[in-house]
Amino acid sequence: MTPQSRCLIGTLVAMLALIGSAARPAPESWATRAYDWPLAPVPDLVRGFDPPAQRWLPGHRGVDLRATAQSAVLAAQSGTVHFAGAVAGRPVVSVRHADGILTTYEPVRPIVPEGDHVAAGQVIGTLEPGHPGCTAQACLHWGARRGSGSSARYLNPLGLLGALRVRLKPLTPADAPGRAPPADAPR
């Protein structure tokens, strides 16, 4: 191989590396997100999101996060306290955010009144022990939804953090009943 060939190959490899890195966002931007964890440090997940098939059926409309009793619970994003009180005898805080999402934290003894504006990361209450179904000393049930009433759509709050991975699998003719394979598809 001639010196000119080596130089040309080296230049091409360097250009491809630069093009490849420019096409990806910088690692710092990957961490940028609109919402943050409602507990510090980042908690363990005890029970995941398991929405019901129909809104009136039983299901788990949020996630349970392991913590210790009396832990500070933080607003996952800035917003307005929509509710701070008891529901079915358990203390609850709900915050409505500018994007229309309502996040709910339970069992949380509120330290903020309904109607107050809260900043992202601001303490909104303290975690009480005894969340039903929690295998830890205390669990924060963190929920999220868009809309209200019959149009409410429950969201996995981990999706607000960018903590969920969506993986698309290839579609094959066997995966799509009634759909003919392309004419040039191998048989």
Side-chain angles (χ1 to χ4, degrees), residues 39-41 43-44 65-73 107-108 125-130 134 136-140:
L39 295 167
D44 292 331
L65 305 172
R66 182 183 319 275
T68 57
Q70 305 310 311
S71 293
V73 178
V108 174
T126 56
L127 184 64
E128 296 289 306
C134 176
Q137 174 207 11
C139 283
L140 173 67

Side-chain angles (χ1 to χ4, degrees), residues 24-147:
R24 288 193 304 268
E28 297 83 23
S29 67
W30 294 344
T32 303
R33 57 183 180 252
Y35 288 79
D36 210 343
W37 291 97
L39 295 167
V42 173
D44 292 331
L45 179 68
V46 174
R47 185 174 175 200
F49 183 67
D50 185 19
Q54 299 292 331
R55 65 182 176 84
W56 59 84
L57 294 173
H60 196 239
R61 294 166 173 84
V63 296
D64 290 345
L65 305 172
R66 182 183 319 275
T68 57
Q70 305 310 311
S71 293
V73 178
L74 315 172
Q77 177 51 281
S78 63
T80 302
V81 178
H82 181 73
F83 180 82
V87 174
R90 295 196 309 245
V92 176
V93 178
S94 295
V95 178
R96 170 117 19 233
H97 307 283
D99 59 6
I101 292 175
L102 181 79
T103 53
T104 302
Y105 312 82
E106 176 281 288
V108 174
R109 179 104 16 238
I111 63 167
V112 290
E114 190 173 311
D116 264 18
H117 178 78
V118 293
Q122 179 179 335
V123 177
I124 57 173
T126 56
L127 184 64
E128 296 289 306
H131 179 64
C134 176
T135 57
Q137 174 207 11
C139 283
L140 173 67
H141 177 81
W142 183 33
R145 75 170 197 235
R146 187 179 298 281

Side-chain angles (χ1 to χ4, degrees), residues 167-173 175:
R167 292 197 174 126
L168 301 177
K169 296 184 178 184
L171 184 65
T172 66
D175 293 328

Side-chain angles (χ1 to χ4, degrees), residues 2 5 38 126 130:
T2 67
S5 298
T126 56

